[in-house]
């Protein structure tokens, strides 16, 4: 399974997946708006294991997360929002939704400095509620009555992304420490010129050899040239 960032060419496929999996559907241009405005935040899961029947066969998209940054946050805090998430029935309970969510959350912090991520979920959606609350650690902020077109209520959920900022900081500090480490006493391997040499033979006796003119080659060439110029 390959989790990669959403491309504009994937949009018809994720629109199809959305129609299959959820009653909340969107115009194609809404997907495009996400992909063009926050290209780092939306991901797809691609089943690369399917054998290709023809060279033109595209790997199948089996899940997606469509995410954005809140454009005018009412609380003034920079944060992300999960617009839609779904995984095809054939590929559920394999950890795909969790991976898609984690990738998007990381990108929200790395790219836009998001403080938290929010979403809405139907109060009856047990699978998604388990994923958000138990697996990812979201908290329910409030219940919005009749949020959905059919009159169902929504849980409005939030996840503080402070733990991702800390992970990024720790990783950066770890890299800095590794770069600035005292290299004295650390074996950096053999000097380049000695690579492949037998260290036991390092102290071999060296002999002086005669080269060039000293071998008489120069004289030989001159003599031949002189002979040639005399002949012409
Ligand atoms: N019942 C209970 N728990 C479940 C179920 C289920 N039916 N499905 C998954 N889980 C649990 C898993 O066991 C796992 O828990 P663990 O971490 O304790 O082991 C956790 O949820 C994550 O499982 P994943 O395998 O990552 O989830 P999956 O890839 O199956 O996708 C999803 C879950 C997206 C909810 C899927 O069932 C789906 O597409 N449903 C239809 C669409 C949908 O409801 N989307 C969410 C709408 S809300 C929104 O879009 C913002």
């Amino acid at each position: 399974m390959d989790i990669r960032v959403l491309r504009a060419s994937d949009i018809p496929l994720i629109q199809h997946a959305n129609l299959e999996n959820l009653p909340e559907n969107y115009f194609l241009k809404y997907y495009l708006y996400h992909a063009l405005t926050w290209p780092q935040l939306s991901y797809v899961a691609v089943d690369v294991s399917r054998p290709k029947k023809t060279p033109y066969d595209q790997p199948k998209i089996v899940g997606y997360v469509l995410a954005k940054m809140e454009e005018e946050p009412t609380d003034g805090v920079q944060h992300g929002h999960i617009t839609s998430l779904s995984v095809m029935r054939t590929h559920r309970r394999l950890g795909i939704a969790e991976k898609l969510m984690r990738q998007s959350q990381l990108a929200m912090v790395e790219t836009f400095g998001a403080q938290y991520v929010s979403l809405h979920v139907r109060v009856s959606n047990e699978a998604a509620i388990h994923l958000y609350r138990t697996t990812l650690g979201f908290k329910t902020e409030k219940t919005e009555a009749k949020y959905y077109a059919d009159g169902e209520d929504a849980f409005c959920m939030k996840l503080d992304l402070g733990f991702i900022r800390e992970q990024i900081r720790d990783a950066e500090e770890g890299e800095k420490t590794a770069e600035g480490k005292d290299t004295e006493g650390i074996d950096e391997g053999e000097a380049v010129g000695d690579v492949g040499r037998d260290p036991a033979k390092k102290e071999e006796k060296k002999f002086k050899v005669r080269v060039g003119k000293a071998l008489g080659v120069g004289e030989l060439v001159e003599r031949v040239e002189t002979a040639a110029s005399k002949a012409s």
Side-chain angles (χ1 to χ4, degrees), residues 162-176:
F163 73 100
I164 297 183
R165 285 196 299 278
E166 272 168 33
Q167 281 169 3
I168 294 172
R169 210 177 305 129
D170 287 351
E172 282 170 355
E173 273 167 19
E175 270 171 32
K176 271 188 209 150

Side-chain angles (χ1 to χ4, degrees), residues 33-164:
Y33 183 59
H34 278 71
L36 294 178
T37 318
W38 307 278
Q40 306 86 351
L41 302 188
S42 296
Y43 287 82
V44 290
V46 185
D47 185 353
V48 284
S49 68
R50 278 187 356 143
K52 278 187 172 186
K53 286 182 192 138
T54 75
Y56 307 104
D57 243 8
Q58 290 299 313
K60 192 175 189 254
I61 289 184
V62 294
Y64 70 86
V65 59
L66 189 70
K68 63 176 193 169
M69 290 302 292
E70 204 59 75
E71 286 173 285
E72 287 169 7
T74 46
D75 55 4
V77 180
Q78 182 80 332
H79 69 272
H81 185 79
I82 302 296
T83 302
S84 183
L85 165 79
S86 83
V87 173
M88 301 305 269
R89 277 179 198 284
T90 46
H91 287 73
R92 288 190 189 160
R93 301 199 92 146
L94 296 172
I96 294 174
E98 181 188 348
K99 286 201 182 74
L100 289 165
M101 286 292 293
R102 290 197 192 279
Q103 282 288 343
S104 182
Q105 289 169 186
L106 177 64
M108 283 172 187
V109 177
E110 279 187 333
T111 317
F112 297 102
Q115 300 292 311
Y116 67 87
V117 52
S118 64
L119 57 82
H120 291 99
V121 59
R122 285 176 179 268
V123 293
S124 64
N125 192 341
E126 283 177 24
I129 290 169
H130 182 101
L131 165 72
Y132 298 139
R133 262 196 205 141
T134 315
T135 308
L136 297 168
F138 276 76
K139 300 267 179 291
T140 303
E141 278 282 293
K142 57 182 175 188
T143 305
E144 287 192 27
K146 299 189 174 23
Y147 177 84
Y148 293 99
D150 59 5
E152 185 168 348
D153 298 349
F155 285 136
C156 178
M157 291 190 170
K158 260 189 185 182
L159 174 68
D160 191 316
L161 298 175
F163 73 100
I164 297 183

Side-chain angles (χ1 to χ4, degrees), residues 194-210:
D194 284 343
V195 172
R197 278 199 199 149
D198 182 355
K201 289 185 183 164
K202 251 184 185 169
E203 296 309 316
E204 267 175 1
K205 225 177 181 180
K206 288 180 179 149
F207 300 95
K208 279 191 178 170
V209 290
R210 294 168 67 205

